Amino acid sequence: MVQLVACLACAALAISDDSVLPYFEVSLGGHYTKSSYETESSTHWYHDKDRDEMVYDENLTYDIYSFEGGGPILDVQAGLSLAKRFIFLFDLGLAVSIGDSRYKFYSRDKEEYDRTEVMVRPIFGFGLKVYPFQTKSSFLYGTFIGATLSFMFTDNLWEDYGMAYCGFEVGGKFEVGKLWKVSEHYFIGFTLNMGIYENATGSNYEYGDENFRIGKNPKRDPVEEINNLHLGISLTAAWK
């Protein structure tokens, strides 16, 4: 894939009179986010308080935490534009989410705790953006698509409940949008984006460590492969 991208970039430069230019973009908008975490029980046995006996449950999970909400999101991208078509960029964002969180000790528990929370999550990554339509007379001129290898730090709100998930997540961000020309180098438009993240830890180990640490809770690996979903729309201004 890297070789293919490099070949495409070189081909674009070979047929274009435009040189390599810096690229800068700022987006401000809103987003919806949904998070989900739970860990599979290692024994699958559970003490039923009503019957005062141990119960085996094949689907037993514990430390069940979820969050759903939304709020403003700020995103800044900077990089290099090749032939005004390929953008190699560094992405830095900040998502503020206001919503409701829920927590249960075990999946068989009847009790569920909930509260309103504010989450502030920095996001950064590296990616590629492509402007495939170069004909200025086309109504698709200025349309772009992009993909970013993205990393997100969470607020670790689950720690208030004695949970020990890793506060670092990795995933991808995908975007599509359109810009309209304001002047020779300035453009304005909109961006639709989607981010998918999963908890960046190994099962029952401290992140980056192969053994338990004395006096510390183990970082747990959630059952779900996708722990965070982000959907957003933003007003975008770019210089290229």
Side-chain angles (χ1 to χ4, degrees):
M1 286 299 296
V2 174
Q3 290 177 342
L4 177 60
V5 170
C7 290
L8 290 173
C10 291
L13 287 174
I15 61 176
S16 173
D17 293 332
D18 296 311
S19 60
V20 179
L21 295 173
Y23 181 90
F24 185 77
E25 176 184 301
V26 178
S27 295
L28 179 63
H31 79 289
Y32 162 82
T33 182
K34 186 174 183 179
S35 307
S36 178
Y37 306 83
E38 61 179 345
T39 301
E40 181 181 358
S41 171
S42 58
T43 64
H44 296 276
W45 285 96
Y46 177 79
H47 179 239
D48 190 311
K49 295 181 181 179
D50 295 333
R51 293 185 294 179
D52 192 23
E53 63 181 24
M54 299 300 292
V55 177
Y56 181 82
D57 184 351
E58 184 178 355
N59 300 315
L60 182 64
T61 59
Y62 68 101
D63 279 356
I64 304 167
Y65 177 87
S66 64
F67 176 86
E68 185 173 7
I73 184 169
L74 173 66
D75 192 59
V76 177
Q77 296 181 351
L80 293 177
S81 170
L82 304 181
K84 295 185 177 180
R85 178 174 292 190
F86 302 96
I87 314 295
F88 295 90
L89 56 87
F90 172 74
D91 182 64
L92 182 63
L94 184 67
V96 180
S97 307
I98 304 171
D100 297 321
S101 66
R102 292 180 173 83
Y103 173 74
K104 289 173 63 175
F105 288 103
Y106 284 93
S107 55
R108 295 181 62 94
D109 281 335
K110 297 179 181 179
E111 297 86 3
E112 181 177 270
Y113 308 93
D114 58 4
R115 71 182 190 187
T116 300
E117 296 178 328
V118 179
M119 302 184 72
V120 180
R121 294 184 275 197
I123 304 170
F124 71 94
F126 305 89
L128 173 68
K129 181 175 291 185
V130 180
Y131 288 82
F133 306 101
Q134 294 298 298
T135 305
K136 294 184 179 181
S137 59
S138 172
F139 74 97
L140 291 175
Y141 178 72
T143 301
F144 62 85
I145 55 176
T148 304
L149 175 62
S150 193
F151 305 89
M152 181 175 67
F153 293 95
T154 64
D155 247 0
N156 297 348
L157 296 177
W158 50 71
E159 291 183 352
D160 295 343
Y161 303 104
M163 299 168 61
Y165 290 118
C166 184
F168 178 73
E169 300 189 354
V170 62
K173 187 175 77 170
F174 309 92
E175 58 183 4
V176 61
K178 181 175 173 60
L179 297 178
W180 286 270
K181 189 173 184 178
V182 177
S183 64
E184 182 180 359
H185 292 289
Y186 291 94
F187 298 79
I188 191 169
F190 69 93
T191 301
L192 301 175
N193 59 72
M194 177 180 70
I196 300 174
Y197 302 88
E198 63 178 277
N199 209 246
T201 182
S203 179
N204 292 322
Y205 294 115
E206 283 283 342
Y207 179 64
D209 200 345
E210 296 181 353
N211 300 300
F212 290 107
R213 292 185 181 181
I214 297 176
K216 288 190 176 182
N217 291 328
K219 299 296 183 185
R220 295 165 182 158
D221 187 16
V223 175
E224 299 291 338
E225 293 183 357
I226 298 176
N227 303 115
N228 268 294
L229 172 67
H230 285 246
L231 299 173
I233 182 171
S234 300
L235 179 66
T236 300
W239 186 94
K240 62 175 182 173

